[in-house]
Amino acid sequence: MDGPQPVEYGEFARERHEAFAEMMLHELPKEYASQEINHLTLAYFAISSLSFLRSLDRVDKDQVARWVLSFRAKPREMSNVADGTFFGFCGSRSSQFSEDTCQSVSNLASTYSALAILKVVGYDSENFDSRSILESMKNLQMPDGSFMPVDSGAETDLRFVYCAAAISSMLNDWSGMDREKAKDYIIKCQSYDGGFGLTPGSESHGGGTYCAVAALFLMGFIQTDYNNGVLLPRCTIIDISSLVEWCLQRQGADGGFQGRANKPSDTCYAFWVGGALKMLGLYHLINKLALRDFLLSCQSPYGGFTKFQYEAIPDLYHSYYGFAALSLLEEELDPLCVELGLATFNQL
């Protein structure tokens, strides 16, 4: 039986991408079995991909909203939030305790994914009481301003600072975090070369840099202004010039972006690094045509995107960020709310 035909050079294979995203929404391949605990996040990638492709008509939005809300961890009463427990969203059925135990294994990343899905399908978060999420999220912030992902104790880094900021933004309520402390932690994560590591003193990384810039942007510490018709960043708390230089140095000769120095170009960093530059108002400084060629060379003949160029088998993670990166390039996709990583069609 003949395999799928290669995509014509320079062509965005929309129909194949739609089929891939819809398939991944309804039935994940066996290779994803080990990621069951991240079920909500995988659903976020699939549903958001369809949103970018303007194909949400393939989704029963009410059914999706009910499914997402079923992962909500709720306290028996508000006094329970003072015991250190986080009452957000659980990532999967296997990580979900019975409400009768009044225990929670919810986490920040799954809570971000849940709220993002609800936004994408048009569900108004004001329809449920978010007080327990925000009040209990305070339990996850450390004295240095960083956040743990779960209340049982875990690593703290910029990923979870970003999740807390995005959750606060989507709920339009910042009472669940101390922004000043979070800002101070982020500042400590900027490396000597201008990029951001995930923790203070660690190597600059494309994902960490996005999380730092997006969190500062959401919290209002990074703004942009027009100066002689040019959009420029306005921020005095971090070294903007070295940050921009570091980001621009991540674009390789093949047009793609690498996540760290001396690493190959990777589809997802077109979003992580490109998104940071977009929020700084300096996305126009990259080579957009070369980046588009790189991204299209990462299209799989089966639909979706691969991690590296000219591979065959796509994955959901790199597919989603491939769509997000092409949206930044103003391909025929829904526009991107870069600081939240969501298509803007429905609500934003």
Side-chain angles (χ1 to χ4, degrees), residues 50-266:
L50 288 171
S51 180
F52 277 123
L53 293 163
R54 301 171 182 166
S55 299
L56 274 179
D57 57 326
R58 303 183 181 213
V59 173
D60 184 330
K61 300 180 185 66
D62 291 335
Q63 183 181 40
V64 168
R66 289 193 298 271
W67 178 77
V68 170
L69 291 169
S70 72
F71 289 97
R72 174 86 185 273
K74 300 177 182 178
R76 287 177 176 172
E77 52 189 47
M78 280 301 295
S79 61
N80 292 133
V81 304
D83 68 3
T85 302
F86 175 53
F87 294 99
F89 286 80
C90 302
S92 69
R93 293 290 176 234
S94 67
S95 64
Q96 190 173 37
F97 282 68
S98 167
E99 286 188 15
D100 293 336
T101 66
C102 199
Q103 296 186 67
S104 169
V105 285
S106 59
N107 64 80
L108 279 179
S110 295
T111 303
Y112 161 78
S113 296
L115 294 177
I117 294 172
L118 292 175
K119 264 200 175 294
V120 167
V121 300
Y123 183 87
D124 190 345
S125 61
E126 292 186 359
N127 290 336
F128 67 85
D129 187 355
S130 61
R131 288 183 304 154
S132 61
I133 296 177
L134 295 165
E135 282 295 314
S136 63
M137 193 167 75
K138 296 176 183 178
N139 299 327
L140 303 182
Q141 189 166 22
M142 299 292 96
D144 65 357
S146 63
F147 277 82
M148 297 187 300
V150 293
D151 54 48
S152 57
E155 74 274 22
T156 61
D157 62 51
L158 282 178
R159 292 173 299 173
F160 310 119
V161 175
Y162 168 72
C163 286
I167 289 166
S168 300
S169 176
M170 286 189 281
L171 293 176
N172 195 29
D173 188 333
W174 291 88
S175 64
M177 66 183 295
D178 186 325
R179 282 182 278 186
E180 286 295 325
K181 285 186 175 180
K183 176 200 69 176
D184 292 341
Y185 180 79
I186 294 170
I187 292 171
K188 293 175 184 175
C189 292
Q190 187 166 30
S191 182
Y192 70 93
D193 58 8
F196 286 82
L198 286 172
T199 58
S202 60
E203 180 185 8
S204 294
H205 183 274
T209 298
Y210 170 86
C211 288
V213 174
L216 291 173
F217 189 95
L218 288 167
M219 292 189 292
F221 294 115
I222 291 179
Q223 299 175 352
T224 51
D225 289 323
Y226 278 99
N227 187 359
N228 295 323
V230 178
L231 191 63
L232 296 173
R234 178 161 57 86
C235 178
T236 59
I237 60 175
I238 59 174
D239 186 343
I240 290 286
S241 60
S242 62
L243 167 60
V244 172
E245 182 178 359
W246 184 88
C247 289
L248 293 175
Q249 288 175 348
R250 302 284 69 78
Q251 187 167 27
D254 58 7
F257 279 83
Q258 59 182 189
R260 291 178 287 160
N262 302 314
K263 294 291 184 179
S265 296
D266 177 332

Side-chain angles (χ1 to χ4, degrees), residues 4-26:
Q5 297 300 308
V7 178
E8 184 178 339
Y9 179 77
E11 175 189 356
F12 179 68
R14 179 180 294 274
E15 292 183 2
R16 297 189 194 191
H17 294 317
E18 289 172 339
F20 170 80
E22 186 174 19
M23 177 191 71
M24 298 295 272
L25 177 63
H26 292 295

Side-chain angles (χ1 to χ4, degrees), residues 206 209-211 213-214 217 247 257 268-283 286 291 321 324-325 328-329 336-341:
T209 298
Y210 170 86
C211 288
V213 174
F217 189 95
C247 289
F257 279 83
C268 68
Y269 292 108
F271 168 77
W272 296 123
V273 181
L277 286 168
K278 181 69 173 181
M279 286 179 283
L280 295 171
L282 298 170
Y283 190 67
I286 73 168
L291 177 58
Y321 286 114
L328 276 177
L329 288 172
L336 174 69
C337 175
V338 65
E339 63 270 25
L340 291 177

Side-chain angles (χ1 to χ4, degrees), residues 257 265-272 291 294-295 298 305-309 318-319 321-323 325:
F257 279 83
S265 296
D266 177 332
T267 301
C268 68
Y269 292 108
F271 168 77
W272 296 123
L291 177 58
F294 171 84
L295 289 170
C298 294
F305 286 80
T306 59
K307 179 182 177 74
F308 300 123
Q309 287 182 304
H318 288 92
S319 296
Y321 286 114
F323 298 136

